[in-house]
Every structure is written in structure tokens, then in C-alpha cells.
Amino acid sequence: MTPDETKNALRVAAAAHGFQAFGVATVAAPLRREYYLRWIAGGQNAAMGWMERNNERRLRPENFLPQARSIVMLGLNSRQPPPALPYRVASYALGEDYHNFIFKRLKKLCALMRTWGGEQRPCVDTAPVMEKPIAEQAGLGWQGKNTLLVNREHGAWLLLGTIFTTLELPPDAPERNNCGLCSRCADACPTGALADPYRLDARRCLAYLTVEHTGDFPPEFREAAGNRLFGCDTCADVCPWNRRAADATEEKLRPRPLPPDLRDSLAWTPQEYDARFAGTPLKRLGLARWLRNACVVLGNTGTALDLPALEKLAAASDPAAAPAIASHAAWAIAKIKARAAAPDVPAAPATPDGG
Ligand code: SF4
Ligand code: SF4
């Protein structure tokens, strides 16, 4: 097959595996290395220390797979309406863990490419790879002011998979930046994490604080968290490039059952939690962070009906544990009681955008 025929055959196979977006970059594509290093030097990666390591591979894709010639980028649409719940879980986390099923599909594509004489290395957000700048070079979209990859057709909702290959495939034209004068994402961010366009301050970002951050929820961001239990979709939701985006068709992303009220989850054991969320991104969060976040959400949106479960949790939790669930429960109790004492002040609304 010619390189064009190989690329087309791969595009067809990728579509058959559920990927809606496909593109190829050369392994020598420019990746804004200086920008990344400045971001790290400014400490805006918060406690994500792994982002400071392996930069000789992260910033030089040619070191990721010796003799690699091309990088295939694949995108899978994750947009879906939020379930009717009084709290929010990020769209990508409602169903199965995408790392698992996307990786399996990449491996199948790699096996096919092997029959064409290529050596491959796949990854899904699990290796030091600059996925979004590479996707931009492969024409899948541009890295917007919200730092997400924005695609003309699918908006800000593509989950990315990457295959490094020794096959020489014709590269696509890089996508140009189409943010223009828009600032909707920064304007909508409840914590000011996008104060500098194109630069996310993870220390202020609710997607980081609710998921990756392991300690206490910083008091200064608890109210801003609103009803966000896991992740934050706000700066993706508001992007005007979503207007042509369809909802996800991927069965594995379909929402798994979640408790209708967070108070029902406050008495779960770690075993119950793990069994309930096996195979989903919520499993990696673990019960302690779930309880921490649930207290924050209930503090913002809860009512007197939630007080008995919160009081029980406060009494049962080890005050020396990290995160300190007892103190988060006490915070929630105090917030709910303060609202009850001032009935003219409504509880924070459980709006679809999490605010
Ligand atoms: S994910 Fe949420 S908190 Fe983080 S930058 Fe986007 S809007 Fe702000
Ligand atoms: S909301 Fe506007 S500024 Fe932000 S990524 Fe989308 S187009 Fe760019």
C-alpha cells in the first residue's frame, strides 16, 4: 500500500473502533516546549509532580519510540447531558474508565499496523506525552484558552488516544487557533483558574481539586465548588464551538447508576464504594475523597434532611485522617444550619453547569 492508502485504511479502522476524529502529525512536530516549561516553573501544575519528570520524552516525541516517524491522534466524543442529580460528575467519568477501553482499541489498531510493517507504541493519558499540542499539529483541533483541545465539529469534548509509529504516514495540516476574542471559558470559571488565557492554574482548578488533590479541600474554594462532586465541565460546557457537537454515541460512556442523594453515600464502607464504582474513574477517587467532596457539595446545596447523615459521619471519622472528613462534615453542617437560620438566603442552586 502507498502511505496514503495506509493512512486511509487506518482512518477507516479507527472509525470502526468508535473514534470520530483522526489525524497524523510528524514526530518532529513543534510542541511549544518553552510554554510547558514556564508553566511548570510557575508551579501551576500544583502537586502533579509527574508532570515535572520524563521531560526528555514528553517534550521530544522522537525519544518515545526509537525510529518513530509519525504520531496518529484519535479523538472520541465524550459529550453527554448531565444526569438529573443534585450534584455533578464530569461527563467523561459517568461511565466506564475511558483509559481502559480506549487503550484496548489502540492496541487493536497497533496490531493492524504491525501487519503493515510498523512498530507502534500506544498511550491514553498514561505516559509523558504532550497529547493536546500533538493533536493540534495533527489537525484535530486547537488548544483553546481553556487549555482543552477544541474541535470544530465536536467542541471541547474529545478524549484523546495516541499511537507512535515507525510507519511514515502523510501528516495532516495543523489546525489554527479559532478562539479569537472569545473569553467565555475564563469568564465562566468559578475560581479564576484561567485568569491567564491558555494557562491553567491547577492550584485553583476544581477539576484538579476534586479529583487529583489528596488533602483537605482548600477552604477558599469550597463555596466556588457549588455542586461539583467530581471534576468540572464548566469551561468545556460554555465553549461556543460546542454548538455543532452531537452527544456521545459511545456505549461505554453511558452513565452508571449514581446515588440520587449524596447523604445516602455518607455511610458507605470502602468495600461498598469500590464494588459500586469498579471499572470507572470514580474508583480511583476512593471513598475518602468522595466523602470529602460530598461534604463540600452538601455544605453548598444540602438541607436539614442531610444533617443526621453528616453528624453521624463527623462523629465516626478519625479526626487525624487526611483528608479530615470530620472537619469537612462539620463545615457542611455549619453551612446548612447557617442557611436554615437565614431563610431568605436560598441554598446554592444545583444548576446544570455546576455553579
Ligand atoms: S475545569 Fe472548572 S475550575 Fe478548572 S479551569 Fe475549567 S471552569 Fe475553571
Ligand atoms: S470558550 Fe472561547 S476562548 Fe474558551 S476555548 Fe472556547 S472559543 Fe476559546
Side-chain angles (χ1 to χ4, degrees), residues 189-191 193-194 200 205-207 232 234-235:
C189 176
T191 57
L194 295 169
L200 173 74
C205 175
L206 295 166
C232 170
T234 298
C235 58

Side-chain angles (χ1 to χ4, degrees), residues 246-262:
D247 283 341
T249 51
E250 175 56 58
E251 276 305 313
K252 291 191 180 294
L253 292 174
R254 290 276 168 269
R256 296 266 198 99
L258 285 162
D261 283 300
L262 283 179

Side-chain angles (χ1 to χ4, degrees), residues 142-150 156 177-186 194 197-198 234-242:
W142 67 97
Q143 205 167 352
K145 290 179 188 172
N146 55 12
T147 73
L148 301 171
L149 188 84
V150 184
N177 187 301
N178 291 295
C179 282
L181 296 176
C182 176
S183 62
R184 281 196 207 182
C185 49
L194 295 169
Y198 306 107
T234 298
C235 58
D237 265 339
V238 299
C239 182
W241 287 92
N242 293 332

Side-chain angles (χ1 to χ4, degrees), residues 223 295-304 306-307 310 331-349:
E223 288 185 12
C295 289
V296 172
V297 170
L298 289 173
N300 290 327
T301 65
T303 68
D306 300 305
L307 290 175
L310 282 165
W331 180 85
I333 292 165
K335 295 286 288 181
I336 292 172
K337 286 186 175 171
R339 275 199 300 278
D344 290 336
V345 181

Side-chain angles (χ1 to χ4, degrees), residues 214-275:
T214 52
D216 288 356
F217 207 104
E220 65 271 32
F221 298 124
R222 289 184 191 174
E223 288 185 12
N227 68 346
R228 295 171 184 81
L229 181 80
F230 181 101
C232 170
D233 281 340
T234 298
C235 58
D237 265 339
V238 299
C239 182
W241 287 92
N242 293 332
R243 60 182 174 258
R244 286 198 285 269
D247 283 341
T249 51
E250 175 56 58
E251 276 305 313
K252 291 191 180 294
L253 292 174
R254 290 276 168 269
R256 296 266 198 99
L258 285 162
D261 283 300
L262 283 179
R263 61 175 168 269
D264 300 339
S265 71
L266 301 187
W268 285 346
T269 64
Q271 292 75 18
E272 267 178 283
Y273 181 90
D274 288 351

